[in-house]
């Protein structure tokens, strides 16, 4: 038994980047914020660079000061969406990590 919560153990036990990408897309954002140090460590240890890029973009978007419209700045939102598209492709098995989209 580990000290990690079961939802984090799912990431730790993921067999490949496709499974890690799916986990990143499906996990509640509250878990990403709460366990960001552990998630970053697991993604780094797995060498999942695309996942780290998405994770960093998501943290930036969640932590950004929002404008009057309630949204993060355009540059942060665009970076987040670009990273999300890359992760979605990996999650579907349509690309290997590091492939130029």
């Amino acid at each position: 038994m580990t000290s990690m919560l079961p939802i984090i153990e799912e990431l730790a036990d993921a067999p490949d980047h496709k499974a890690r990408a799916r986990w990143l897309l499906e996990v509640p954002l509250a878990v990403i914020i709460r366990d960001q140090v552990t998630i970053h460590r697991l993604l780094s240890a797995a060498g999942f660079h695309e996942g780290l890029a998405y994770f960093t973009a998501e943290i930036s978007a969640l932590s950004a000061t929002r404008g009057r419209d309630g949204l993060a700045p355009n540059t942060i939102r665009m970076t987040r969406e670009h990273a999300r598209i890359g992760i979605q492709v990996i999650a579907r098995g349509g690309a290997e990590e590091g492939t130029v989209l």
Side-chain angles (χ1 to χ4, degrees):
M1 183 159 178
T2 68
S3 61
M4 286 188 277
L5 295 174
I7 197 163
I8 302 299
E9 285 182 359
E10 290 176 19
L11 176 60
D13 295 339
D16 54 26
H17 291 338
K18 180 178 177 179
R20 289 180 193 93
R22 285 184 178 168
W23 186 90
L24 283 167
L25 291 169
E26 295 171 359
V27 70
L29 294 175
V31 172
I32 287 178
I33 288 289
R34 182 190 66 210
D35 296 309
Q36 61 186 289
V37 172
T38 302
I39 294 167
H40 188 277
R41 182 180 52 80
L42 292 170
L43 295 173
S44 293
F48 189 23
H49 304 293
E50 293 282 344
L52 280 167
Y54 169 70
F55 173 74
T56 301
E58 195 69 73
I59 292 292
S60 294
L62 292 169
S63 303
T65 299
R66 298 180 292 156
R68 290 182 180 159
D69 59 1
L71 300 173
N74 281 336
T75 54
I76 290 176
R77 290 190 329 221
M78 289 171 50
T79 300
R80 178 184 180 188
E81 289 308 309
H82 180 75
R84 181 179 290 144
I85 290 167
I87 290 298
Q88 288 170 332
V89 171
I90 293 168
R92 288 192 310 261
E96 294 298 316
E97 192 220 349
T99 302
V100 177
L101 300 176

